[in-house]
């Protein structure tokens, strides 16, 4: 069991470039999440997917899009990167313990936008 | 709006002592509260969950209390060890599907 995997681990972009962050989980979880973590701000929810085929905005969705490709995979796309999107991005999944919603996190993607 | 606050300053304690971390919240009535541990460069890892109808939960050297009147949770690590050094995050949930609201975390440093 790999748990939650994310690619890439590190990325440097120039302003205006686009990229897609990939996330996959092998725990058969229904729900998946994308967060960003900035110093002093904690984890902020960007988008989430309660089940395959559904996605919803979180607290900070502007500048991002997501795709729930299938039950395993949930990708995050930056269409036109901005320096304000420099952050650490975490993907998480939940759903194996009834209604307790314990979340399992990936190792993160460290993104720098110049 | 909903707000969660954890000790913003790092907590430094001596090995063997009890570490106590605080999580306060406003404008929210969570069904449960979770605590996570995060090591540098890693994703958070789940530690404990306590429900709104529970006052206290224990797991090995960890103890969590939950006071819904004070809107506060305390997280204790007894007989602390240098390996306990990490950032600890509290998270509230239960009323928004599977979504959690995270605090900003408290950094704990245990000195030998």
């Amino acid at each position: 069991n790999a748990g939650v995997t994310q690619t890439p681990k590190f990325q440097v972009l120039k302003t205006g470039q686009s990229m897609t962050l990939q996330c996959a989980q092998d725990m058969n979880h229904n729900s998946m999440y994308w967060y960003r973590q900035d110093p002093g701000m904690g984890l902020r929810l960007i988008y989430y997917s309660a089940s395959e085929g559904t996605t919803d905005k979180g607290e900070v969705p502007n500048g991002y899009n997501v795709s729930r490709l299938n039950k395993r995979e949930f990708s995050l796309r930056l269409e036109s990167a901005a320096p304000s999107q420099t952050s650490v991005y975490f993907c998480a999944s939940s759903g194996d313990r009834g209604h307790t919603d314990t979340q399992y996190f990936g190792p993160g993607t460290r993104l720098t936008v110049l | 709006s909903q707000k969660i606050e954890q000790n913003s300053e790092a907590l430094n304690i001596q090995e063997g002592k009890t570490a106590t971390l605080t999580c306060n919240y406003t404008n929210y009535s969570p069904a449960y509260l979770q605590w996570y541990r995060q090591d540098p460069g890693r994703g958070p890892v789940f530690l404990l969950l306590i429900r709104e109808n529970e006052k206290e939960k224990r797991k090995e050297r960890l103890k969590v209390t939950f006071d819904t009147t004070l809107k506060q949770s305390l997280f204790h690590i007894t007989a602390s060890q240098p390996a306990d050094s990490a950032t600890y995050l509290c998270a509230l949930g239960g009323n928004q599907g599977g979504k959690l609201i995270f605090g900003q975390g408290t950094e704990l440093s245990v000195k030998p």
Side-chain angles (χ1 to χ4, degrees), chain A residues 3-110:
Chain A
V4 179
T5 57
Q6 292 183 236
T7 55
K9 287 187 170 24
F10 300 93
Q11 184 70 50
V12 178
L13 293 177
K14 294 181 179 178
T15 298
Q17 288 184 318
S18 62
M19 78 162 295
T20 300
L21 282 65
Q22 306 286 355
C23 174
Q25 51 92 8
D26 62 1
M27 296 173 281
N28 201 37
H29 286 169
N30 287 320
S31 301
M32 297 186 74
Y33 312 83
W34 275 105
Y35 294 90
R36 61 178 288 172
Q37 187 174 39
D38 302 291
M41 299 291 288
L43 285 162
R44 292 185 292 169
L45 184 65
I46 305 172
Y47 271 93
Y48 71 103
S49 171
S51 62
E52 184 179 354
T54 68
T55 60
D56 284 289
K57 296 177 180 179
E59 181 186 354
V60 288
N62 291 344
Y64 306 95
N65 284 300
V66 290
S67 295
R68 184 73 183 268
L69 304 169
N70 47 57
K71 192 170 186 178
R72 289 188 64 247
E73 299 171 289
F74 189 37
S75 63
L76 178 72
R77 182 159 179 84
L78 287 69
E79 290 291 351
S80 179
S84 61
Q85 294 178 305
T86 293
S87 188
V88 181
Y89 291 86
F90 288 101
C91 177
S93 69
S94 69
D96 75 336
R97 296 198 177 199
H99 303 291
T100 60
D101 302 315
T102 299
Q103 294 191 10
Y104 297 80
F105 285 81
T109 294
R110 282 140 191 85

Side-chain angles (χ1 to χ4, degrees), chain B residues 1-2 5 11 34 37 53-54 56 74 85 109-110:
Chain B
S1 62
Q2 300 158 349
E5 284 194 1
L11 182 62
Q34 301 184 11
R37 170 184 171 139
N53 60 349
E54 298 175 315
E56 182 179 299
L74 298 178
S85 298
S109 178
V110 182

Side-chain angles (χ1 to χ4, degrees), chain B residues 29-48:
Chain B
S29 296
Y32 54 79
L33 186 147
Q34 301 184 11
W35 283 89
Y36 288 77
R37 170 184 171 139
Q38 186 174 22
D39 291 289
R42 310 286 290 269
V45 175
F46 171 76
L47 294 175
L48 277 170

Side-chain angles (χ1 to χ4, degrees), chain B residues 5-107:
Chain B
E5 284 194 1
Q6 298 186 242
N7 314 62
S8 56
E9 294 184 10
L11 182 62
N12 297 302
I13 64 167
Q14 207 66 31
E15 183 176 8
K17 302 292 186 183
T18 296
T20 298
L21 284 66
T22 305
C23 177
N24 294 298
Y25 60 93
T26 57
N27 299 325
Y28 197 71
S29 296
Y32 54 79
L33 186 147
Q34 301 184 11
W35 283 89
Y36 288 77
R37 170 184 171 139
Q38 186 174 22
D39 291 289
R42 310 286 290 269
V45 175
F46 171 76
L47 294 175
L48 277 170
L49 177 148
I50 185 166
R51 300 180 190 280
E52 60 178 337
N53 60 349
E54 298 175 315
K55 295 292 185 187
E56 182 179 299
K57 187 74 81 69
R58 291 175 185 261
K59 179 182 176 182
E60 297 172 354
R61 296 185 294 109
L62 308 180
K63 184 178 85 170
V64 174
T65 63
F66 193 11
D67 189 326
T68 55
T69 301
L70 291 179
K71 295 186 181 294
Q72 180 182 78
S73 174
L74 298 178
F75 178 79
H76 307 272
I77 305 175
T78 58
S80 59
Q81 305 165 0
D84 295 326
S85 298
T87 295
Y88 292 85
L89 307 169
C90 70
L92 306 179
N95 300 324
Q96 308 177 96
K99 291 191 292 182
L100 298 175
I101 301 174
F102 282 86
Q104 78 273 31
T106 297
E107 184 180 349

